[in-house]
């Protein structure tokens, strides 16, 4: 469980850093939305988050994988 948690934290922090949310936090903190569950590899979560961010639906996201590695949760971040 610790390895999975570490992996989720690293993936989430990396995604937020690359999305620019961390850089823009001083201006206005984004609003965290409800977690969106999904099944499959973690890459599917990342792909979905990138697609939502590319079309402007969200300003950032984080992905967390379950212990078994076959399901995940996407946490979206919205502009205020």
């Amino acid at each position: 469980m610790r390895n999975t948690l570490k992996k989720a934290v690293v993936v989430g922090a990396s995604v937020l850093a690359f999305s620019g949310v961390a850089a823009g936090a001083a201006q206005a903190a984004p609003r965290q939305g409800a977690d969106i569950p999904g099944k499959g590899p973690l890459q599917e979560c990342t792909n979905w988050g990138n697609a939502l961010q590319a079309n402007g639906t969200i300003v950032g996201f984080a992905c967390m994988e379950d212990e078994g590695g076959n399901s995940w949760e996407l946490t979206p971040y919205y502009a205020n």
Side-chain angles (χ1 to χ4, degrees), residues 4 7-8 38-40 42 64-73:
T4 303
K7 182 190 265 187
K39 297 229 181 256
L42 189 61
M64 293 184 63
E65 186 176 36
D66 75 343
E67 287 186 40
N70 195 30
S71 64
W72 43 263
E73 288 186 346

Side-chain angles (χ1 to χ4, degrees), residues 16-17 19-27:
L16 287 176
S19 69
V21 171
Q27 294 177 355

